[in-house]
Structure formats: structure tokens, C-alpha cells
Amino acid sequence: MLREKKRVIWIILTLGLMLSFPVFSFSQEYRIGPEDLLSISFWQQPDLNSTLRVRQDGKVSLPVIGEIMVAGLTTAELSKKIVEKISFYNKSISQATVVILEYNSQKVFVQGQVNRPGKYSFESIPNRWEV
């Protein structure tokens, strides 16, 4: 009986220690690339909302601002960049929401004797077994 209590206490302490340490994530935030489909919206002025595909040169064309380089940016970085540029024309716009609708810039081609050969797009490139 005493042994069981010690075991339970040991398990509780071990779990407590495991939960008290921060969990580190080695994944990086997705970087926008060519052929990704983006949704950009402005809650202060919905008529500027756009759904755009990133061109091969890494740019998109937005109303009011024009051409903007988006490749290599995260959604947060792009949102900030859009607000900075659009605030020259309309000071009331203080927030832009960028959502990636389709991840098309990171592709894997599967060939050979497999069930479904072809091109697959991923948010992050998986390992061979996941493909």
C-alpha cells in the first residue's frame, strides 16, 4: 500500500515537472511563395477586400497600393506592410487580415508505382513517409 502511494506521488511529480517546462516548437511560420492564394481583408473598408494569387515574381497587385512584394513574408509581416502602405492613402485603415487559402508554393512530386502519383502542395514539406 505504501509502495503504491509512493508510485502515485512519483507519477504526479513527474507529470508536474513535465508540464512546468516550456515546450519548444521547431516549426517555423509559413513564408508566402509563388502560386499561393491569399485573402486580404480590411474590416474598416470591406470594398478593398481581395483574393489574390501570388505571381511567379512574388508580387501581387492590390487596389489603392498597387504592386507589392509578398514572397518570403509571413502573414503577420505582410499584414503590417499592407497597413503601412495603405495608411498613406487612408488613415482610417489600421488593420489588414491576411489568410492563406491555398498553399501552392511548396510542392512535392510523387512518381513511380504508388496509388496516387502527381503533384502535392503542403504548408511545410513533410518527410518521405508522410508523402
Side-chain angles (χ1 to χ4, degrees):
M1 179 103 152
L2 184 60
R3 222 178 239 193
E4 263 183 54
K5 285 184 180 181
K6 284 182 179 181
R7 186 184 301 183
V8 170
I9 291 172
W10 184 82
I11 290 173
I12 291 171
L13 288 174
T14 304
L15 287 173
L17 284 173
M18 288 172 57
L19 295 174
S20 66
F21 289 108
V23 177
F24 295 101
S25 173
F26 293 105
S27 65
Q28 296 178 347
E29 194 171 348
Y30 183 78
R31 299 274 173 184
I32 298 168
E35 297 185 30
D36 286 344
L37 185 63
L38 308 177
S39 171
I40 301 170
S41 56
F42 306 89
W43 70 270
Q44 292 103 336
Q45 195 166 352
D47 57 316
L48 294 177
N49 293 355
S50 304
T51 300
L52 308 160
R53 186 161 309 273
V54 181
R55 298 190 314 249
Q56 286 299 322
D57 63 358
K59 296 180 181 178
V60 295
S61 183
L62 287 167
V64 180
I65 328 177
E67 299 271 316
I68 185 169
M69 177 59 82
V70 300
L73 300 176
T74 64
T75 55
E77 292 167 343
L78 178 56
S79 176
K80 184 178 177 182
K81 186 174 185 177
I82 291 170
V83 170
E84 286 172 0
K85 291 191 176 279
I86 208 163
S87 66
F88 288 119
Y89 305 103
N90 187 340
K91 297 274 186 206
S92 69
I93 297 177
S94 62
Q95 185 177 2
T97 303
V98 178
V99 176
I100 301 172
L101 300 176
E102 292 178 9
Y103 298 93
N104 293 317
S105 65
Q106 297 187 22
K107 298 179 186 88
V108 173
F109 295 89
V110 178
Q111 296 177 315
Q113 294 184 358
V114 294
N115 287 338
R116 296 183 308 175
K119 175 176 73 170
Y120 295 90
S121 299
F122 295 94
E123 182 177 346
S124 62
I125 299 298
N127 64 36
R128 285 184 231 177
W129 287 110
E130 290 173 338
V131 172

